[in-house]
Amino acid sequence: MTVALTAGLPERPRNPAGLVAYRLTHQLPPVAEPIPREFTHARPHPIQTCDTCDKTFRAPRPDDDCPWCVARAAA
């Protein structure tokens, strides 16, 4: 944008505001298309409540056991 406004300026313009207005409306490059971006943020799992110990945790499915009950069952 700076080049479009400042390239080839006359030494002493008669109407500086008019020159800038003309260049802003007629000499700017076209607006670039937005770059498509993929969604990079993964949505967290929903919050569940364990039926056994009544603790809350996140799990992809409602029938998953909480990590504390899984660890207690494995021990």
Side-chain angles (χ1 to χ4, degrees):
M1 184 163 130
T2 303
V3 173
L5 291 174
T6 60
L9 287 174
E11 192 171 315
R12 294 186 57 85
R14 290 181 292 167
N15 184 359
L19 176 69
V20 171
Y22 174 80
R23 289 188 174 199
L24 282 174
T25 57
H26 292 85
Q27 292 185 340
L28 286 182
V31 177
E33 293 293 322
I35 300 171
R37 298 180 186 206
E38 293 187 24
F39 188 71
T40 58
H41 177 71
R43 196 175 277 220
H45 296 303
I47 295 177
Q48 313 292 335
T49 303
C50 181
D51 294 331
T52 307
C53 66
D54 205 34
K55 289 184 181 180
T56 57
F57 62 100
R58 292 192 181 270
R61 296 183 310 273
D63 57 342
D64 285 348
D65 292 328
C66 75
W68 301 279
C69 290
V70 170
R72 190 179 320 129

